[in-house]
Structures are given as structure tokens and as C-alpha cells.
Amino acid sequence: SQTIHQWPATLVQPVGSPLSLECTVEGTSNPNLYWYRQAAGRGLQLLFYSVGIGQISSEVPQNLSASRPQDRQFILSSKKLLLSDSGFYLCAWNPGTGQYEQYFGPGTRLTVT
Amino acid sequence: QKEVEQNSGPLSVPEGAIASLNCTYSDRGSQSFFWYRQYSGKSPELIMSIYSNGDKEDGRFTAQLNKASQYVSLLIRDSQPSDSATYLCAVKGRTGGFKTIFGAGTRLFVKA
């Protein structure tokens, strides 16, 4: 069966510090991968998605970036965090191949102070 | 107009009642429709997928799709306090590759 991992689970970072969140998927090959952010009490905002290694599509221009160095690894980064970057960061995957269900990881709760 | 719209709620129903959650979408060519449940502080969990007009039942959950009217609904029969959560509607449109558009969610409270 497939499993998706995210770490860390929670993070408190000062404004201006860097960020690196990691997501890995087990039990599948060549998944589509997604990063979402959910602000408190709000809906899901798609940040990036990837259909393959090194292929990143950005949905919202901001101070975040994403990379996919391996087939089942997706990384979200920032060089300098802003207060507005606080939120619940969710990684998701889907099998591709004409299937569109997305399966979410446990999430990382980021607080920028 | 938002691409996927849901009433934010909260929707409050007594235990044992039927909870009805609704969602409308703007892209008439949308192909795939999903319902997710999100407990407070947790990540969304897929509970139903529906692709064709009509009803699809899975246990206490029934998804209903009407493409002509561009709405999809989720019925929860015999609602339990454990069903209290935010329910997200998601739609795969005609375009956009593998992107799915999520609604903002409807909060459901089931009162014991």
C-alpha cells in the first residue's frame, strides 16, 4: 500500500529564516506530487505541483520554491520566511495515469514569529 | 464566481439525522468530483469519488452528481458526533492537467 510522509510535523521559525519541508511517498512510482498551504480557517491553496523529477509548476508567485530531486521526494523551500508564510502545509500525491484522486500527508504546521 | 463553491456553515444536525452538504462548480466540462473530510488540525481524507450523473453509495455516505445543474452533494445518513468535521468538495476540471480545485469547505457539527 502507499504511504506519504511529511516532516517535520510542527515548526516555529523566526521571520527571515530559511525553510525546508520534505515529503516522501512510498509504494508507488512516478506519482504526481502537490504542495498546498491552508491558512487558519481557510481553504486549500495550491502552491506547486510536479508530474515528474525536476518538473515543477508554480501556482502562486511568492517567496517559496519547490524541488523534486527524486521520483518520490518533494521539497518545499524558502530563503527568507515572512509572517504571512504561517500555515498548515500539506503534501499530496496522486497516481497520475488518468486518476485524479489526491491523497494527503499528515501536514506540517508552520508558525513564523 | 469561485470555481468551486460551498456553504461555509456551520451546518448543525442532531445525531441520527441526515446531513446534506452541497457544492457547485463553474466548469461545465468537469470530469471528476471528490469529497474529503478534514478533522480539526488534521489533513484531508478522501471519502468519496464520483464521475457519472446519479448517486453513488458507500456505507452511510451517498454522493450525488448532476452535471447539467453543475452541483455535487454528499449525504451522510445516521449522522454521528464523529462525523463532525469540515467537508471539502474538489473538482477536476476539463483543463488544468492534474490540478484539482478545492472548495473552502463546509463545517458540520453533529449534536449528541
Side-chain angles (χ1 to χ4, degrees), chain A residues 66-113:
Chain A
S67 62
R68 185 170 176 174
Q70 300 180 44
D71 181 44
R72 290 168 290 175
Q73 183 184 30
F74 205 21
I75 297 172
L76 182 70
S77 303
S78 174
K79 292 182 179 178
K80 288 186 177 182
L81 284 169
L82 307 173
L83 283 174
S84 58
D85 291 324
S86 294
F88 192 34
Y89 286 81
L90 292 157
C91 181
W93 73 277
N94 87 353
T97 61
Q99 299 178 63
Y100 301 106
E101 290 90 344
Q102 292 185 22
Y103 302 94
F104 287 84
T108 295
R109 190 162 304 281
L110 171 66
T111 303
V112 182
T113 61

Side-chain angles (χ1 to χ4, degrees), chain B residues 88-104:
Chain B
L88 305 174
C89 172
V91 177
K92 166 64 180 79
R94 176 177 34 193
T95 59
F98 284 93
K99 291 188 293 183
T100 299
I101 307 300
F102 284 81

Side-chain angles (χ1 to χ4, degrees), chain A residues 32 34 38 59 101-102 105, chain B residues 36 38 43 51 98-99:
Chain A
N32 296 323
Y34 306 81
Q38 188 175 38
E59 290 297 300
E101 290 90 344
Q102 292 185 22
Chain B
Y36 290 81
Q38 186 175 24
S43 60
Y51 305 96
F98 284 93
K99 291 188 293 183

